[in-house]
Amino acid sequence: MKCLVYPAVAIAINFVLLQSFPMAGGGASLGVLLTIPIIGVFAVILAVIHYFLSRKNKRIRNFQIAGIAGTVLISYFLFIGDAGNMPLNIIGRMLNTANHYSEIKLGDYFLERIPQNQEKIIAAKKKFKSKLPDTAYVIRIYNQADYLTDETIGIYYKNGKPKAIDQNVEIRPLNKGFELIRIKKNDSLSFILDPLYSKIGESQINGFTEQNLNEKSKKKLMLADIDPIYRNNTLEHSYFAYRMYYWLL
């Protein structure tokens, strides 16, 4: 029955959207509960109208085209995505990143894990796949006054030794762990890295301290924390669109 084309299109387009793109906050189940019933009712109404028009021998070609287009549009606009991270936004960033693939740097892999950076992170992972270990780390330096990130430092282990992607960062071995020194303009920060393991793919850091070498006031004191980055924890492992993007790069 041709009138069932609308529910079929609704099912197909929503399946593609849900499998290909992340919903807001990763809340796919909540999004489905809110939007699928609305889209389903819309598709059923179109199917009923189509059925009665066909029984009256009315020409329904234009109605069918408009109905299919409407089903696609309502499915897209009811897709619950983060601001600036709707499917078309994501596709646009993918195309832009692919066009500038030669400009991707190793440091892009260590960008903050926010939606707007995911395409560059995945591109850097693909471009430097032979260089990156299973686990790397990002140190975020922030101001104690407002806790806003001022800069990030990416580190990874190679042959059991930590390496920094920033040329202004020096890593010195200690009896237990490593000292990391970052020099930026007239400022310097020092961290003590205390790894539990130093093998590639097993590296962990159980803590570090900060020393303010210039003895700044507490108001200007820069603090830091450190987070692991897991190689297999990027979006191409979860969403079809990102999987295709990674494969085509």
Side-chain angles (χ1 to χ4, degrees):
M1 297 176 65
K2 292 184 178 181
C3 62
L4 296 180
V5 67
Y6 311 104
V9 169
I11 292 171
I13 191 67
N14 282 277
F15 178 81
V16 170
L17 288 172
L18 291 172
Q19 293 297 315
S20 298
F21 303 99
M23 299 190 78
S29 58
L30 178 60
V32 168
L33 290 175
L34 291 174
T35 61
I36 293 301
I38 298 174
I39 298 168
V41 170
F42 180 78
V44 169
I45 291 173
L46 290 177
V48 171
I49 295 173
H50 181 115
Y51 174 75
F52 282 107
L53 288 176
S54 63
R55 288 193 62 182
K56 294 180 179 180
N57 296 319
K58 299 286 187 180
R59 296 187 63 180
I60 57 174
R61 181 179 178 183
N62 291 339
F63 174 82
Q64 190 173 45
I65 293 173
I68 291 173
T71 303
V72 172
L73 289 174
I74 194 173
S75 296
Y76 177 82
F77 287 109
L78 286 180
F79 184 83
I80 302 176
D82 289 309
N85 202 47
M86 292 293 286
L88 288 181
N89 301 128
I90 293 171
I91 293 171
R93 291 198 303 267
M94 287 178 175
L95 293 174
N96 183 60
T97 304
N99 288 334
H100 296 86
Y101 185 68
S102 61
E103 302 173 15
I104 293 295
K105 308 180 295 294
L106 178 60
D108 291 326
Y109 182 72
F110 296 88
L111 290 171
E112 186 176 358
R113 261 51 184 173
I114 59 176
Q116 289 74 17
N117 289 338
Q118 293 298 330
E119 293 74 26
K120 285 187 176 181
I121 291 169
I122 292 172
K125 176 183 175 180
K126 175 71 177 284
K127 188 173 183 178
F128 301 99
K129 60 182 178 181
S130 62
K131 191 172 185 178
L132 291 169
D134 290 338
T135 307
Y137 300 90
V138 59
I139 297 174
R140 293 185 178 85
I141 300 172
Y142 57 92
N143 191 292
Q144 182 176 253
D146 54 21
Y147 291 94
L148 295 177
T149 300
D150 182 69
E151 64 176 297
T152 59
I153 299 173
I155 60 173
Y156 61 98
Y157 281 81
K158 185 175 183 179
N159 298 326
K161 297 181 180 180
K163 298 178 69 68
I165 63 169
D166 190 336
Q167 295 180 350
N168 295 319
V169 174
E170 180 182 358
I171 298 180
R172 300 173 181 173
L174 301 175
N175 291 333
K176 291 184 178 180
F178 304 89
E179 181 181 24
L180 183 147
I181 299 174
R182 190 275 280 133
I183 300 173
K184 183 179 180 182
K185 297 181 180 179
N186 296 323
D187 180 31
S188 63
L189 291 174
S190 175
F191 305 90
I192 305 300
L193 306 180
D194 184 15
L196 296 176
Y197 302 97
S198 58
K199 294 181 181 179
I200 293 177
E202 297 179 355
S203 301
Q204 297 183 31
I205 296 177
N206 63 3
F208 64 93
T209 58
E210 181 195 54
Q211 300 170 354
N212 188 285
L213 302 182
N214 292 335
E215 297 183 355
K216 291 182 177 181
S217 65
K218 287 186 177 181
K219 186 176 181 180
K220 296 182 179 180
L221 179 64
M222 302 300 288
L223 303 177
D225 58 20
I226 189 165
D227 293 309
I229 299 175
Y230 300 110
R231 187 186 183 97
N232 293 328
N233 195 26
T234 45
L235 293 183
E236 79 275 9
H237 292 282
S238 302
Y239 298 100
F240 179 75
Y242 284 97
R243 197 173 304 125
M244 291 297 298
Y245 167 68
Y246 180 88
W247 182 72
L248 291 171
L249 282 173

